[in-house]
Amino acid sequence: MYQIVPGAPGEQHMIDRDHGSPRKKKFGQDSRPMVLAGLLGGALVLVAVIAWFYYLLSLRKAHLLKAESLDLKKDGYIIRNHAGDAVFTMAFRSGTLDLDSCTKEGHILSCTRSETGKLNFFIQTVREKDTVMCYRIRWEELLDVNSVEHAMAYNDSHWYGGAEMATQYWPMRNQGEEEPSPFITSDVYSNRNAFGGILERYWLSSNATAIKINDSVPFHLGWSEKNRTLRFVARYKGSPFKPPVGHSGFPVLSYRVCVGLDVTSLHKYMVRRYFPKPINVPSHEVFRKPVWSTRAFHKSAVTQEKLLRYASDIIKYGFKWSHLELDDRYTTDYGEFDFDPQKFPNASGMFEKLRKDGFQVTLWTHPFINYDSINFGVALEKGLFVQEPSGDLPALVRWWNGIGGILDFTNPEASKWFLSQLNSLKRRYNVTSFKFDAGETSYLPRQFSTMVPLSDPSIFTRRYSEMAIPFSSRAELRVGYQSQNISCFFRIINRDSVWGYELGLKSIIPTVLTISILGYQFVLPDMIGGNAYPNRTAGLINETHALPDKELYIRWLELSAFMPAMQFSIPPWAYDNEVSMYKTYLTIGVVQIARKFSELHETEVAPRILELAGEVVGTGDPIIRPLWWIAKDDKAAFKIDSQFLIGDDLLVAPVLEPGKQERDIYLPAGNWKGKKGTYKGPMYLTDYPVGLDELAYFLWVET
């Protein structure tokens, strides 16, 4: 039975008498839309909440993967400059990051996993100064993988630095597709595809970014012209790099990227931060007066008679000198430290005569002892050679003058013995200094052992270059790796007697600019006219000598007069009897031109260079500078490879093309005074006249 009870107006409740509970009324059709609307509204609210939650997570993730103007993605990162422009892009080529493993603490963003497994990756932001932002990047594999590779995009900018090359361009012009190879010092005169004898792990771009690879990295460099990238690789397997003792052997790629306001100020910062500086300035006489070498003129056929005649002719033709350099094969065998009595029957008398005539003499030396030398057995018995991997036998090497052993300069006894031989020569004949040839790691055996294990083979180059320190005032090196503090002249590798970019005249300015950017400021260009080998000479070959082309020689001479030092070997007087072999416009006397430019170098160029050389000790700034040094936002200046600056105010524009007595010249902003007037830059001077006995140069003047 049911009972009706009073309820709300218009509403009745039926109560079950047996249970005393109200019985619900069934919903009608008109109430269902309201329920559906409520459910839909609730769902929308839930979706909105979830969306907001994920939005907050994405904001947090985006914030997490940023490090002050750097955006990290799984396959690389982008760095922006102070204006917000993307100026540096690096792609991870050997693996991608698991971004869910990334965390951020302070200025360090780190990740612990990649697609291949565990790793230690971090980016640390380091604000070095108000105008420079730097990022330390490290990718360390924690699994046994072959390599780590990052690929840097050019980003429509021009890049400079890296290494001396056989074919040298300014800015860099990497051609083709080059698989990464060990970035170690090599003789590019013998192997035209290798990296050169002067190199550093440093590059700089026109958009004010720089990268410095850490010294500990087993570093390989490649490139892709198609993709416009440089490929940076860390690898031990199949390479000459060896893991340090106690190291896991897993590759680590670590480096620093810095971004500045302009390319010049950024480079100044990088040089002061990362490169050692020379302790002092080499002999001022070498800056002022030419070095005279027997190398290109007499090669290994030099004798006492030829040397004395060469010195006599220098005096006869009215030239000055800083010193006379006796090069190659003055000993009986390679690896000995006294004069061949057949070729030099009275060496003591020869030196006495040269001293009386006012000559200081330097001697050529090298790190090799050929197997037929009497010193081979001495060095073998004392254990002075680089060894085979077993360490039981000397590792024989082939170099351009034969086969022998190479001294192990990680062995203090080998260094001591070598220096004692040089000092003995110096005392016996009053020798002034030495020309240290070779020293590239390419002359080490493929497999070798040294007393101190070399994780980086190029440290051998550093140890060899240290042999020049006791003789640094007039010493000459052709190799450099972490050697900027050695206060001697660094000679660019031998040039061929040709016009072009492959070890020719056109390569000199790009090469000098490159090694200057790498911190080597006391530059000795190769001998005027090049090496004059018959098969590598654009010029005249007669019964006794291969002479470089006369016009080439003159243009080479003019360029050298504006370099830190001049070096003759092919003597100017060798041409003046050959006039009839050339076009009529070449009949001007080479001796006359050589005297003119030698005097110009001594009186006008050397004083300015010596002033800058004194500043190098404190700053490391280049003596020979690119045009962009003073034109930081000038797009034209970034591409000029045939002009240069001495300091900030002397602009030099030599002729580097055959048959030309004019050239186009670019003048950056400012007032520039030349022999034919004053010009207001920026501007191009088209077909500016430059006679065969002239070189165009301009001095910046106040308005």
Side-chain angles (χ1 to χ4, degrees):
M1 297 293 295
Y2 293 92
Q3 178 180 357
I4 305 297
V5 297
E11 185 180 41
Q12 290 182 336
H13 290 270
M14 290 181 290
I15 300 177
D16 189 319
R17 287 185 177 179
D18 296 329
H19 299 89
S21 61
R23 180 179 165 193
K24 293 182 179 179
K25 180 180 176 181
K26 290 183 179 180
F27 287 106
Q29 294 290 332
D30 56 345
S31 66
R32 290 180 181 176
M34 295 180 62
V35 173
L36 292 175
L39 291 174
L40 181 60
L44 290 173
V45 170
L46 181 61
V47 169
V49 170
I50 293 172
W52 178 252
F53 175 75
Y54 276 102
Y55 174 68
L56 291 177
L57 283 180
S58 66
L59 286 179
R60 184 179 178 186
K61 173 81 76 173
H63 177 71
L64 172 69
L65 299 178
K66 285 182 179 292
E68 288 198 68
S69 301
L70 183 147
D71 297 332
L72 177 66
K73 303 180 184 303
K74 68 176 184 179
D75 56 355
Y77 60 88
I78 297 172
I79 298 176
R80 302 181 186 278
N81 63 12
H82 64 285
D85 300 324
V87 292
F88 189 89
T89 304
M90 189 74 87
F92 304 144
R93 291 285 298 271
S94 53
T96 58
L97 293 174
D98 178 355
L99 297 181
D100 290 332
S101 73
C102 299
T103 59
K104 188 176 182 182
E105 184 174 345
H107 296 289
I108 300 177
L109 196 167
S110 58
C111 307
T112 59
R113 292 194 309 273
S114 71
E115 62 179 4
T116 57
K118 293 182 179 180
L119 82 156
N120 174 19
F121 172 86
F122 73 78
I123 296 176
Q124 180 181 9
T125 305
V126 183
R127 184 178 287 277
E128 300 286 2
K129 52 190 296 189
D130 291 341
T131 58
V132 177
M133 176 71 77
C134 292
Y135 306 87
R136 293 177 56 220
I137 293 96
R138 178 183 176 89
W139 183 301
E140 178 184 9
E141 288 287 352
L142 300 180
L143 296 174
D144 189 10
V145 299
N146 285 335
S147 63
V148 176
E149 178 176 345
H150 293 179
M152 182 192 77
Y154 291 171
N155 269 353
D156 295 324
S157 59
H158 303 290
W159 284 86
Y160 315 91
E164 179 184 23
M165 306 286 281
T167 303
Q168 197 91 49
Y169 297 107
W170 180 272
M172 291 165 48
R173 194 188 307 171
N174 293 321
Q175 298 174 322
E177 308 299 304
E178 189 71 26
E179 286 298 310
S181 59
F183 194 70
I184 56 177
T185 59
S186 299
D187 180 357
V188 295
Y189 198 77
S190 298
N191 180 1
R192 304 287 170 115
N193 296 318
F195 303 111
I198 299 176
L199 55 73
E200 299 293 336
R201 303 169 168 199
Y202 171 68
W203 289 265
L204 176 75
S205 85
S206 58
N207 62 9
T209 58
I211 181 168
K212 177 72 170 62
I213 309 296
N214 288 357
D215 296 340
S216 60
V217 173
F219 181 53
H220 296 62
L221 177 67
W223 55 80
S224 170
E225 182 181 18
K226 177 182 178 182
N227 297 327
R228 291 187 54 76
T229 57
L230 284 181
R231 300 172 61 187
F232 301 132
V233 172
R235 184 174 75 236
Y236 286 115
K237 291 184 179 179
S239 92
F241 293 94
K242 305 300 177 188
V245 176
H247 191 274
S248 65
F250 300 160
V252 178
L253 182 58
S254 58
Y255 52 90
R256 182 173 293 217
V257 178
C258 293
V259 181
L261 296 180
D262 63 79
V263 60
T264 304
S265 63
L266 176 63
H267 177 68
K268 287 182 177 183
Y269 164 77
M270 298 297 286
V271 167
R272 287 156 177 72
R273 176 69 176 80
Y274 292 109
F275 294 158
K277 313 299 182 297
I279 299 170
N280 48 46
V281 178
S283 168
H284 289 201
E285 287 295 288
V286 182
F287 286 95
R288 292 190 181 107
K289 300 171 185 177
V291 175
W292 292 82
S293 172
T294 64
R295 174 61 191 164
F297 196 53
H298 291 300
K299 298 185 172 61
S300 61
V302 66
T303 64
Q304 178 175 318
E305 180 184 3
K306 291 177 180 178
L307 179 63
L308 289 173
R309 187 186 310 123
Y310 190 61
S312 176
D313 284 343
I314 295 171
I315 298 171
K316 173 184 173 182
Y317 286 98
F319 287 95
K320 297 181 181 179
W321 58 88
S322 61
H323 59 260
L324 183 60
E325 183 179 87
L326 175 55
D327 197 320
D328 203 355
R329 203 54 190 262
Y330 55 87
T331 60
T332 303
D333 293 304
Y334 291 106
E336 297 175 11
F337 296 88
D338 206 347
F339 285 85
D340 180 346
Q342 299 298 317
K343 299 175 72 176
F344 296 85
N346 184 9
S348 296
M350 177 187 73
F351 275 91
E352 185 177 348
K353 171 74 165 82
L354 291 170
R355 280 196 301 274
K356 185 180 296 185
D357 290 338
F359 285 97
Q360 297 192 57
V361 181
T362 65
L363 298 179
W364 175 75
T365 190
H366 53 82
F368 308 104
I369 300 178
N370 280 8
Y371 69 88
D372 54 358
S373 165
I374 58 173
N375 280 330
F376 188 85
V378 174
L380 181 63
E381 182 180 350
K382 293 178 177 290
L384 307 182
F385 287 128
V386 172
Q387 303 285 310
E388 290 184 338
S390 64
D392 297 327
L393 295 171
L396 294 181
V397 299
R398 182 183 294 277
W399 62 298
W400 66 89
N401 278 329
I403 298 174
I406 184 168
L407 292 169
D408 178 6
F409 294 104
T410 73
N411 179 352
E413 291 303 313
S415 299
K416 181 179 177 182
W417 181 84
F418 181 66
L419 288 176
S420 72
Q421 302 303 313
L422 298 184
N423 280 316
S424 177
L425 266 175
K426 183 173 169 47
R427 288 191 302 270
R428 191 179 311 139
Y429 300 108
N430 199 20
V431 172
T432 298
S433 188
F434 296 91
K435 170 186 176 178
F436 292 84
D437 213 349
E440 297 91 347
T441 60
S442 56
Y443 287 110
L444 292 171
R446 185 175 297 275
Q447 299 291 330
F448 65 90
S449 172
T450 51
M451 175 170 283
V452 177
L454 297 178
S455 297
D456 178 355
S458 292
I459 295 299
F460 179 85
T461 292
R462 165 68 198 186
R463 296 291 169 260
Y464 176 60
S465 65
E466 290 169 354
M467 298 299 99
I469 292 175
F471 315 101
S472 59
S473 179
R474 292 179 188 256
E476 176 185 325
L477 279 163
R478 82 170 196 185
V479 291
Y481 178 66
Q482 302 176 9
S483 306
Q484 295 93 337
N485 63 320
I486 298 178
S487 304
C488 71
F489 277 90
F490 288 83
R491 176 177 62 88
I492 65 177
I493 195 66
N494 309 45
R495 304 285 115 172
D496 289 332
S497 300
V498 296
W499 290 91
Y501 285 103
E502 183 179 338
L503 295 179
L505 177 61
K506 285 185 179 179
S507 71
I508 292 178
I509 295 174
T511 303
V512 171
L513 289 174
T514 296
I515 66 175
S516 294
I517 286 296
L518 299 179
Y520 297 89
Q521 311 309 343
F522 306 138
V523 183
L524 182 64
D526 194 38
M527 295 160 288
I528 292 168
N531 258 338
Y533 284 113
N535 60 335
R536 293 173 176 172
T537 298
L540 174 70
I541 301 176
N542 60 25
E543 293 180 357
T544 56
H545 296 291
L547 293 180
D549 175 73
K550 187 174 184 180
E551 182 188 10
L552 171 68
Y553 182 88
I554 293 171
R555 293 307 192 188
W556 206 305
L557 160 66
E558 293 164 353
L559 168 59
S560 295
F562 286 82
M563 288 288 161
M566 299 178 71
Q567 186 176 43
F568 284 103
S569 185
I570 302 294
W573 53 87
Y575 288 94
D576 285 350
N577 295 324
E578 307 290 348
V579 170
S580 61
M581 302 295 296
Y582 294 88
K583 300 174 186 177
T584 56
Y585 75 89
L586 293 179
T587 57
I588 188 168
V590 178
V591 169
Q592 180 183 349
I593 297 174
R595 283 202 206 105
K596 169 185 173 180
F597 278 92
S598 297
E599 182 178 348
L600 177 67
H601 175 84
E602 181 180 2
T603 59
E604 295 189 32
V605 179
R608 178 63 176 133
I609 286 179
L610 278 168
E611 180 184 348
L612 294 164
E615 297 173 5
V616 167
V617 176
T619 67
D621 290 346
I623 295 172
I624 304 299
R625 300 173 180 177
L627 264 60
W628 52 252
W629 192 265
I630 61 168
K632 304 165 188 177
D633 299 315
D634 188 334
K635 292 183 178 179
F638 288 124
K639 298 181 288 185
I640 301 293
D641 69 348
S642 62
Q643 300 174 212
F644 59 92
L645 295 166
I646 299 175
D648 288 348
D649 53 8
L650 180 57
L651 185 148
V652 184
V655 173
L656 306 175
E657 298 278 353
K660 298 289 186 181
Q661 296 203 51
E662 67 283 320
R663 64 156 293 167
D664 295 342
I665 297 172
Y666 183 71
L667 300 176
N671 293 299
W672 296 94
K673 183 179 180 181
K675 287 190 175 182
K676 296 176 174 59
T678 301
Y679 307 88
K680 185 174 179 60
M683 68 174 298
Y684 280 99
L685 300 178
T686 304
D687 292 335
Y688 188 85
V690 189
L692 185 62
D693 62 340
E694 296 178 324
L695 182 142
Y697 61 97
F698 302 82
L699 188 66
W700 186 88
V701 293
E702 295 280 357
T703 55

